[in-house]
Amino acid sequence: MRLRRTAAAALTLAVIGAAVTACSSDDSEASVAAARSSAYAALSSSSAVAATSAANRPIPTAQQLDAQIKAALDPNLPDSDRTDLIQDGAAFKDAIPDMYKALQDHPRAVYGVKDPVFDNHDGTLTATLSLDKDGSGTDVRTTVVHFVYLDNRWKISKNDLCGILRSADYKTTACG
């Protein structure tokens, strides 16, 4: 987002500079062309930085995000690995027994991240999570879920995880 603003500001300044130059008494095609060229260079440069930045953050597929959420609920996963999958995950350490209880209370539950996954170009992703608490397919709920890029990995948003837990009638101090 900051990159876009910087590019827009550079382009705006260059266009204003070109307009001022065009309106001055030393009106010349060369100075207008130079200002235009400068504006396009600034825009291209910021686009290249944005592309490089995005290239450093590989966008996971829905299947990869789904596997990540399911891994967070795997009882064999060490708690520290589990909390690493959640934004502000350390706050959820005490909630882990509640997550297991939710799974035990709904052993036929079917849930998962579905395509498409959207890159919001601000260090977050948006995807859809579906939940069928009894696995019957008659009461499937969906919600938008966000992932935040922190510590070189995509983590489920704390706010979204809290929303999911609240919708399943589970309370935790991590969610306030």
Side-chain angles (χ1 to χ4, degrees):
M1 185 72 116
R2 186 184 309 164
L3 234 36
R4 283 190 211 154
R5 285 188 204 141
T6 303
L11 183 59
T12 302
L13 286 174
V15 169
I16 290 171
V20 168
T21 302
C23 294
S24 72
S25 58
D26 296 329
D27 199 3
S28 80
E29 289 294 318
S31 61
V32 172
R36 235 184 239 133
S37 175
S38 174
Y40 288 128
L43 185 59
S44 297
S45 172
S46 63
S47 295
V49 170
T52 301
S53 172
N56 292 334
R57 277 193 321 237
I59 305 305
T61 64
Q63 288 177 321
Q64 291 167 322
L65 294 173
D66 184 58
Q68 180 175 327
I69 287 178
K70 289 178 176 158
L73 296 172
D74 179 356
N76 298 317
L77 189 69
D79 288 349
S80 61
D81 291 351
R82 180 183 337 284
T83 56
D84 281 347
L85 299 172
I86 305 166
Q87 177 188 20
D88 194 18
F92 285 89
K93 187 167 181 163
D94 293 338
I96 292 172
D98 290 335
M99 290 184 211
Y100 292 140
K101 184 169 178 0
L103 288 174
Q104 291 169 354
D105 289 351
H106 304 284
R108 295 190 328 217
V110 177
Y111 59 94
V113 177
K114 306 293 181 195
D115 280 320
V117 175
F118 296 102
D119 181 356
N120 300 316
H121 302 288
D122 63 355
T124 66
L125 301 174
T126 302
T128 301
L129 178 74
S130 68
L131 172 64
D132 180 359
K133 283 172 85 171
D134 65 6
S136 69
T138 58
D139 188 21
V140 177
R141 299 177 189 175
T142 60
T143 187
V144 171
V145 64
H146 296 89
F147 292 83
V148 181
Y149 195 76
L150 296 169
D151 306 321
N152 295 318
R153 72 182 320 158
W154 291 103
K155 299 180 180 202
I156 188 166
S157 156
K158 175 183 178 176
N159 290 338
D160 290 348
L161 180 56
C162 287
I164 292 166
L165 292 174
R166 276 192 293 275
S167 71
D169 297 324
Y170 287 96
K171 293 175 178 47
T172 174
T173 57
C175 297

